[in-house]
Amino acid sequence: MRDKEQLWQQASRFQSLLVLVLMIVAMSLLSDRFLTQANGLNIMRQISVNVCLSIGMTMVILSGGIDLSVGSVLAFSGAITAGLIKSSIPLPWLGVELQFTTWGAIVAGLIVGLSLGWINGQLITRLKIPPFVATLGMLSIARGMTMLWTKGFPITGLGDGFAILGTQSVLGVPTPVWIAGGLVGVFVLLTKKTRVGRYIYAVGGNEQTTRLSGLNVNRIKVIVYTLAGALSAVAGLIMTSRLDSAQPNAGAGYELDSIAAVVIGGTSLSGGRGTILGTVIGCLIIGVLNSGLVLLNVSPFWQQVVKGGVILVAVAIDRMRESDD
């Protein structure tokens, strides 16, 4: 009996990886165009944005929170960068116009994302607004600010210098994949090898005990939401560069894909349990599923149904695991 329980625990630990392998095998058998180098690179390129978002979402959920604003923050950060690349900002009281370089505009976009994440953290910790409500409000605010900044029209023609982030390749691997891979490495180390990482797990595991132990729980939460905002900005820069356009509706619904990847990857919605690498596997599962369904000419409407079913199964398994614990 004990051997069976140990076997179940080992299987549940690697269940996401097993699902990914089975999906790759199944899609390869169903379509001869799936298991090709071109399609593999295409999947990696497509999931790079979700990987960036989901790293931040993983830390938020690990801390016992949720962030519904990541898609809108993505859009606003990308729009700010695109707008500053295309146009100067008049300063009439100085009689000059402020012109940003491409890299200056990129930094400005990152600061916008980081700032919006910091505001989320302050709303949750200072005003005691539940994370769901606070980030839902930020979702609407950031989307509205994107519409105001772009006036509802795409900002296009951003130049070759900015295109490096989204369209170029290094050693045959797309730049977005390098960026996402680098961030995965950094945040794996952050969550596993630093005090901040251990504190994030502690807050999500038992916030009250963590608070009583003397740790500044509010500061940890602010750090987590700030990082999530910054990572959303990185995702926005990659998407804007890849499209050579800042779309007012960019990132709409991306928060759902991000949460799905985190849950499918084995992170508990209750907090305190999960890994960045598990989330990457979750992103790959979604990417493989999307690519396979497209190659099989499955209707986009059915794709949404299938994706929703996968999310429900992942959450059900998570709840079963928690009840067993």
Side-chain angles (χ1 to χ4, degrees):
M1 186 67 176
R2 182 174 299 177
D3 291 339
K4 289 183 178 180
E5 290 179 356
Q6 291 178 347
L7 183 61
W8 166 252
Q9 290 175 355
Q10 291 294 329
S12 63
R13 182 178 301 176
F14 297 103
Q15 64 186 6
S16 299
L17 184 59
L18 291 173
V19 169
L20 176 61
V21 171
L22 291 174
M23 286 183 61
I24 291 174
V25 171
M27 293 301 180
S28 301
L29 295 174
L30 292 172
S31 173
D32 57 1
R33 292 178 296 166
F34 179 81
L35 203 61
T36 63
Q37 181 179 0
N39 190 53
L41 289 176
N42 186 49
I43 292 173
M44 298 296 288
R45 184 186 294 109
Q46 289 179 345
I47 70 168
S48 59
V49 169
N50 196 24
V51 168
C52 294
L53 289 178
S54 299
I55 292 171
M57 187 68 76
T58 301
M59 292 190 296
V60 168
I61 293 178
L62 281 174
S63 70
I66 196 73
D67 190 350
L68 301 179
S69 68
V70 293
S72 295
V73 173
L74 174 157
F76 189 44
S77 300
I80 288 291
T81 298
L84 294 179
I85 290 174
K86 289 290 291 184
S87 304
S88 58
I89 298 178
L91 303 175
W93 58 90
L94 296 177
V96 297
E97 290 188 349
L98 185 60
Q99 182 68 51
F100 282 76
T101 64
T102 297
W103 287 104
I106 289 172
V107 171
L110 291 172
I111 291 173
V112 166
L114 185 147
S115 300
L116 294 179
W118 179 84
I119 292 172
N120 276 337
Q122 295 299 321
L123 292 172
I124 292 165
T125 58
R126 299 280 184 179
L127 300 182
K128 307 300 180 184
I129 300 176
F132 183 91
V133 178
T135 58
L136 182 62
M138 182 58 73
L139 178 154
S140 182
I141 292 171
R143 182 64 62 185
M145 292 172 71
T146 304
M147 293 295 181
L148 290 170
W149 178 260
T150 62
K151 297 180 174 60
F153 295 97
I155 303 174
T156 59
L158 305 180
D160 294 336
F162 185 61
I164 294 173
L165 292 178
T167 61
Q168 302 298 315
S169 296
V170 178
L171 301 177
V173 178
T175 306
V177 178
W178 284 110
I179 295 172
L183 289 172
V184 168
V186 168
F187 282 94
V188 166
L189 291 176
L190 175 71
T191 53
K192 293 297 185 183
K193 301 296 184 180
T194 69
R195 289 184 179 179
V196 173
R198 291 192 292 271
Y199 294 164
I200 291 171
Y201 279 97
V203 170
N206 193 319
E207 180 176 333
Q208 189 62 28
T209 301
T210 305
R211 195 183 300 276
L212 292 174
S213 69
L215 294 178
N216 191 329
V217 171
N218 287 348
R219 180 184 299 173
I220 296 166
K221 288 185 177 182
V222 170
I223 289 173
V224 165
Y225 282 95
T226 301
L227 289 173
L231 287 163
S232 298
V234 173
L237 294 174
I238 292 174
M239 172 175 284
T240 304
S241 173
R242 192 173 70 194
L243 298 176
D244 192 30
S245 170
Q247 300 287 336
N249 62 346
Y254 276 37
E255 59 277 355
L256 301 180
D257 281 349
S258 179
I259 294 171
V262 174
V263 174
I264 291 171
T267 297
S268 172
L269 286 171
S270 301
R273 185 176 64 200
T275 64
I276 299 295
L277 290 179
T279 293
V280 173
I281 293 174
C283 291
L284 284 168
I285 288 174
I286 293 176
V288 167
L289 181 63
N290 287 338
S291 176
L293 293 177
V294 168
L295 291 176
L296 294 173
N297 295 318
V298 175
S299 166
F301 306 122
W302 278 110
Q303 291 179 32
Q304 293 297 318
V305 173
V306 172
K307 189 184 298 183
V310 170
I311 294 171
L312 290 176
V313 170
V315 173
I317 292 174
D318 174 59
R319 294 306 182 191
M320 290 170 59
R321 189 194 302 128
E322 287 189 354
S323 63
D324 290 339
D325 293 342

